[in-house]
Amino acid sequence: MSFRDAGGPIHMAGSAIFFAVGATVTRADIPVLCAGLAELVRGHGGGHGGGVVVCDVADVAHPDVVTVEALARLRLTARRHGWNLTVTGACPDLLELVRLLGLTDVLIQAGRQPEQREEAGGVEEVVDGRDPPR
């Protein structure tokens, strides 16, 4: 597992915690990442929870199923402590892998959420040919 050099993988700003995932993540790294995040969120906000963990994955070199598992487990860790987790900096390969695994609704990319009546990315409306045109 590798973390960014500048300032380490974690920093805080207001009610948001920024947590960076390094270029590679192994299955053995997942419990370490989750324990680190759990300790961080427990120590922030006086135990009341609430806030957002922004998980930066921009440095992930070659995303795979283990990367997605790590993100899902980090999200679960955050939720168990009353925090939300959003993912930012995901490359197209990671986004496609998340979509293929059916976790698009769980691992939302920060800054890009569908508007109230907007279709989620990659979703097309199915049209029945028997329906009259609008």
Side-chain angles (χ1 to χ4, degrees):
M1 169 173 65
S2 61
F3 292 112
R4 292 180 182 214
D5 294 337
I10 303 166
H11 71 281
M12 294 178 266
S15 64
I17 296 173
F18 296 86
F19 190 89
V21 174
T24 58
V25 178
T26 66
R27 217 171 275 291
D29 296 327
I30 296 172
V32 175
L33 286 169
C34 292
L37 180 60
E39 182 179 329
L40 183 66
V41 296
R42 274 194 304 262
H44 187 68
H48 300 299
V52 177
V53 176
V54 179
C55 187
D56 184 1
V57 295
D59 286 347
V60 172
H62 302 287
D64 57 12
V65 173
V66 174
T67 307
V68 177
E69 179 183 352
L71 293 173
R73 300 249 323 259
L74 285 167
R75 181 185 183 276
L76 180 60
T77 299
R79 294 296 303 152
R80 285 182 176 158
H81 291 87
W83 289 72
N84 292 312
L85 182 132
T86 60
V87 177
T88 187
C91 68
D93 289 343
L94 180 55
L95 293 174
E96 180 65 11
L97 190 54
V98 168
R99 187 189 69 75
L100 287 171
L101 293 171
L103 295 172
T104 313
D105 292 338
V106 175
L107 299 174
I108 300 170
Q109 180 143 359
R112 181 61 187 114
Q113 297 180 9
E115 296 296 326
Q116 186 174 359
R117 296 190 44 93
E118 177 184 3
E119 294 286 342
V123 176
E124 294 183 25
E125 181 179 352
V126 177
V127 178
D128 187 343
R130 297 172 292 189
D131 288 343
R134 294 184 200 178

